[in-house]
Amino acid sequence: MNKPTNRRVFMMQTISVAGVAALATTAAQAQAMVAESDPQAAALAYKADATKVDKAKQPKYAAGQICSNCALFQGKADAAAGGCPLFAGKQVAGKGWCSAYAKKG
């Protein structure tokens, strides 16, 4: 039997591979965490672990303030990480903190 190798088969295979690659890229981007060294993160004094915030340099910080209970956090309250509009395309740690913290109302 001859294996069909026509343009239609080629196009279907190409589209399938492109779709898988696009999904993999989207998943990788969704998982990207913001680094404390990122310029935006540094400007907002972001820390992935709120217990490591220097209270002398950040007098606005109060115990119990974490990203997961901030009004800007775009994840579930118990999520380890979630989106934040201040760091487009990246996630912040649920136990993190930055100077833009705003308590959920």
Side-chain angles (χ1 to χ4, degrees):
M1 299 198 108
N2 290 336
K3 187 175 180 182
T5 55
N6 59 29
R7 185 170 52 192
R8 182 179 297 163
V9 171
F10 173 76
M11 292 302 291
M12 288 173 37
Q13 290 172 340
T14 303
I15 291 170
S16 296
V17 170
V20 169
L23 287 174
T25 301
T26 301
Q29 290 174 344
Q31 300 299 325
M33 296 292 291
V34 66
E36 291 179 8
S37 59
D38 179 269
Q40 176 75 0
L44 293 170
Y46 171 77
K47 293 288 182 191
D49 182 354
T51 63
K52 296 183 179 176
V53 173
D54 184 346
K55 295 171 185 95
K57 291 182 180 177
Q58 300 300 326
K60 183 179 172 186
Y61 173 77
Q65 292 180 344
I66 56 175
C67 290
S68 64
N69 65 26
C70 175
L72 299 172
F73 189 69
Q74 298 173 333
K76 294 183 179 180
D78 60 347
C84 177
L86 300 177
F87 306 104
K90 296 184 181 176
Q91 293 190 332
V92 295
K95 294 184 179 183
W97 182 87
C98 83
S99 62
Y101 176 85
K103 186 177 181 174
K104 280 187 182 176

